Amino acid sequence: MASRCPKCHRTIEEDSICCADVRYSWKCTECGKLTQGFVVPYGRCFLCGGKIVIVDDRPPTSEAIDMIQRAVQLEVDMFHFYRLATAKVGAGEHREVLEDLHSREAEHFRELSDKYHLDLDERVLEPTAEVDAKIESELFAGIDLHVSDPLRSIYEKALELERRTHRFFAGRAAALPDGPEREVCRELAAEEEEHIALIETELHHLPAAERA
């Protein structure tokens, strides 16, 4: 039987899931700030950028909603990776590739948000400069960003993250019964395969000096 979303009051079909009322509580291990939300960028505190943990009083959730939370987290993390990576390369074709990937991740994020009526904090997509700095230090650890063009290392990191995301969606699609959640995972797994192929192609066509 159809119902109504408690957030936007749109009709929700019987076989759909609404996450509008689902909020997790996060506590920063550094400043102690307690925040509520559905996901946080790279597990970082909105206030200081410190590491966060989910507190024990999180709401009871179904396996399907836990899957959605993980899926959204992966898409948000990839969104920020490409956003930050784009600023690390100069103007040209490769910057356009990263910008395109960033745009695609934003589309995935919006697709999941619209489908499941997510109640998301705007700060998820617009971290403070302090949070960005801590995310960058972790994301680009081991990558020498001071060389003339760190592109190869950035692509390799992107490939690692995309493969991780693809494994999640492909694994969930294989485990879920027929239904809308399985189809969403299958579609997103296929999208991640396309991202992986694109990055592998770009890596293959880098000049020999950059691939050495």
Side-chain angles (χ1 to χ4, degrees):
M1 180 177 178
S3 60
R4 288 190 178 276
C5 170
K7 177 185 177 185
C8 67
H9 308 297
R10 288 183 295 174
T11 299
I12 304 168
E13 298 303 324
E14 186 175 2
D15 61 354
S16 296
I17 295 174
C18 180
C19 303
D21 278 344
V22 179
R23 297 178 67 81
Y24 294 81
S25 294
W26 317 86
K27 187 170 184 179
C28 179
T29 57
E30 295 185 22
C31 73
K33 178 177 174 57
L34 190 67
T35 305
Q36 287 191 323
F38 196 71
V39 295
V40 292
Y42 280 98
R44 292 291 181 174
C45 170
F46 286 132
L47 184 64
C48 73
K51 286 283 191 178
I52 56 90
V53 293
I54 300 179
V55 299
D56 292 336
D57 65 344
R58 56 182 164 176
T61 57
S62 69
E63 181 180 353
I65 290 179
D66 284 342
M67 181 275 292
I68 294 164
Q69 197 268 348
R70 175 62 174 156
V72 174
Q73 185 71 69
L74 287 169
E75 295 298 345
V76 168
D77 287 352
M78 291 305 302
F79 169 89
H80 286 298
F81 174 80
Y82 289 122
R83 177 179 63 83
L84 296 169
T86 297
K88 306 300 180 187
V89 300
E93 177 185 347
H94 293 297
R95 185 184 181 94
E96 291 175 4
V97 169
L98 293 171
E99 287 175 342
D100 177 57
L101 287 164
H102 174 245
S103 176
R104 294 188 193 199
E105 297 298 346
E107 289 177 8
H108 293 176
F109 175 80
R110 286 194 294 269
E111 177 184 345
L112 290 169
S113 181
D114 289 344
K115 181 172 180 60
Y116 297 114
H117 299 206
L118 303 180
D119 186 11
L120 296 168
D121 193 310
E122 291 182 1
R123 293 173 296 181
V124 166
L125 298 182
E126 298 179 358
T128 64
E130 186 173 5
V131 176
D132 262 356
K134 292 196 174 183
I135 292 175
E136 282 192 34
S137 67
E138 185 171 314
L139 270 183
F140 299 109
I143 299 177
D144 186 356
L145 297 174
H146 301 292
V147 298
S148 59
D149 191 351
L151 188 59
R152 180 176 180 273
S153 294
I154 288 175
Y155 275 151
E156 288 176 342
K157 181 69 174 183
L159 198 55
E160 173 190 332
L161 295 174
E162 291 286 5
R163 285 172 173 165
R164 178 194 68 174
T165 304
H166 174 264
R167 284 195 300 270
F168 171 79
F169 286 123
R172 294 306 302 163
L176 287 167
D178 288 339
E181 277 63 59
R182 183 184 185 191
E183 288 308 304
V184 169
C185 286
R186 288 182 63 192
E187 291 167 7
L188 290 171
E191 288 282 348
E192 300 306 331
E193 284 183 356
E194 185 178 343
H195 296 186
I196 290 169
L198 175 61
I199 296 167
E200 287 177 337
T201 298
E202 294 300 324
L203 270 170
H204 178 74
H205 287 98
L206 286 177
E210 295 181 43
R211 289 189 277 121

